[in-house]
Amino acid sequence: LGLRMAHGPLPAPLMRLLLLSVEAPYQCAAEAAIACAMLTMQPPWLPSQNKERLQNCKESFAVYEGDLVSLLNIYRQYEVYREQDTDWAKRHLLNAKLLDRAMKVKQQLGMYLSKFSLPEESCGSEVARLQRLACASLFLNAARRLPNGSYRLCRAIDEARAPHARFQLHYDSVLAKVAGHASADFVVFAEAQGTGDQAILLHNTR
């Protein structure tokens, strides 16, 4: 696993996610490849002066499970509608060119798996397998929610020397939108960013 991670086409955490996805009990390499492809892209939304419409479009794809499954949802629906309805992406304020690039990356990741005779199985609608996979592959990025709504890493760190010890979910995260009534007690994140005194978690999965 380590050698394939080191020589793979993705950053190490995403390579781990992709390679673990072929193993039981996950067996969701097709969905993992989509998630990895989408995570290598910029956010898929078109800029719009109509903020309310943009927010409504984002919420129409958002799912309880978090950002990775929401990205999977966007990709799958685009895959279905892209040929029969060429204006579908534009109507939903989605960047069709970016999603086309994600499809090419997903295809390349499938070829990478085939090179090692690794199966590209699908979990279908059983997205809990993708959630469990994210937890297994991004375990170093696990964080738990504190009573004040911020998050703290589950693993031990030297908080006195760490640049940040408390984190907030990115304002655009699906899980940040539901924080008032269905907050995630634990999350795993694909990326963290520090801006001054504030640190935020991106691409979160419950």
Side-chain angles (χ1 to χ4, degrees):
L1 183 64
L3 186 61
R4 290 175 181 173
M5 284 176 57
H7 295 282
L10 297 169
L14 296 186
M15 279 307 306
R16 181 176 174 81
L17 188 146
L18 180 66
L19 293 171
L20 279 181
S21 70
V22 305
E23 300 180 4
Y26 314 114
Q27 296 171 305
C28 59
E31 288 74 22
I34 291 171
C36 289
M38 293 293 284
L39 288 174
T40 64
M41 303 288 146
Q42 295 295 318
W45 306 103
L46 293 172
S48 173
Q49 294 184 342
N50 189 335
K51 302 303 181 184
E52 183 178 358
R53 182 189 172 201
L54 178 59
Q55 186 58 38
N56 289 337
C57 288
K58 290 180 178 181
E59 290 178 358
S60 71
F61 294 100
V63 293
Y64 174 84
E65 292 81 2
D67 298 317
L68 290 193
V69 182
S70 297
L71 289 174
L72 173 65
N73 192 26
I74 291 171
Y75 182 101
R76 281 177 163 174
Q77 291 200 43
Y78 179 67
E79 197 172 35
V80 169
Y81 292 111
R82 61 190 290 263
E83 293 186 359
Q84 57 183 282
D85 184 355
T86 54
D87 290 329
W88 181 88
K90 186 177 180 180
R91 282 203 313 275
H92 291 83
L93 297 181
L94 287 166
N95 187 330
K97 291 183 179 179
L98 182 144
L99 292 172
D100 285 337
R101 289 202 302 273
M103 295 184 78
K104 291 180 180 178
V105 172
K106 191 265 183 183
Q107 185 179 24
Q108 292 167 356
L109 295 177
M111 294 171 61
Y112 177 81
L113 293 174
S114 297
K115 184 169 69 172
F116 296 103
S117 300
L118 298 173
E120 190 179 347
E121 298 178 90
S122 172
C123 64
S125 60
E126 196 181 342
V127 294
R129 281 199 251 167
L130 183 60
Q131 288 176 271
R132 291 194 293 268
L133 170 66
C135 290
S137 57
L138 302 173
F139 64 93
L140 291 176
N141 294 352
R144 63 181 176 87
R145 188 175 183 269
L146 301 176
N148 65 1
S150 66
Y151 283 81
R152 179 182 183 181
L153 292 179
C154 293
R155 59 185 168 91
I157 62 170
D158 185 345
E159 294 191 1
R161 300 180 64 182
H164 299 284
R166 302 292 184 271
F167 302 84
Q168 298 290 335
L169 300 184
H170 190 276
Y171 68 89
D172 226 11
S173 172
V174 168
L175 297 184
K177 299 293 192 299
V178 299
H181 57 87
S183 55
D185 292 329
F186 292 89
V187 300
V188 290
F189 57 93
E191 184 181 353
Q193 291 181 353
T195 54
D197 294 333
Q198 188 178 31
I200 55 175
L201 306 180
L202 295 87
H203 309 308
N204 307 289
T205 297
R206 69 165 80 230

